[in-house]
Amino acid sequence: MRAVVQRVERAEVRVHGDGGVVVAGAIGRGLVVLLGVEARDTGADAAWMASKIAGLRVFEDDGGRMNLGRGGGCCWCRTSRWRGRRRRGGGRTLATR
């Protein structure tokens, strides 16, 4: 399981379907989490990842220091096809398949 976390002022998830584009979810200030899930990941893995993300201190307090863990909503985007792959002699690459 891998996650990419980004702090945002606002975000929304749009889904393209037969009826056109629909907003499936939206948040104001908060975090967007792109979550890569693999077949071998367990519920314990998901709980650990959620705990780590919830504990991030990435929002500014009144003094301007990034010291707050809660600062808004959280928008999760899951995909079971996003994963990391290593090539011989090269660095990490992202593969979507």
Side-chain angles (χ1 to χ4, degrees), residues 26-81:
I27 61 170
R29 181 178 182 221
L31 298 175
V32 170
V33 180
L34 303 177
L35 186 64
V37 180
E38 297 183 29
R40 67 176 182 239
D41 292 329
T42 65
D45 294 329
W48 178 84
M49 184 67 74
S51 173
K52 292 295 281 187
I53 292 169
L56 292 175
R57 296 171 149 300
V58 294
F59 296 102
E60 293 180 357
D61 61 12
D62 293 334
R65 296 179 61 193
M66 294 184 69
N67 196 28
L68 295 179
R70 295 187 181 127
C74 190
C75 182
W76 295 80
C77 301
R78 182 188 70 84
T79 177
S80 59
R81 297 180 149 204

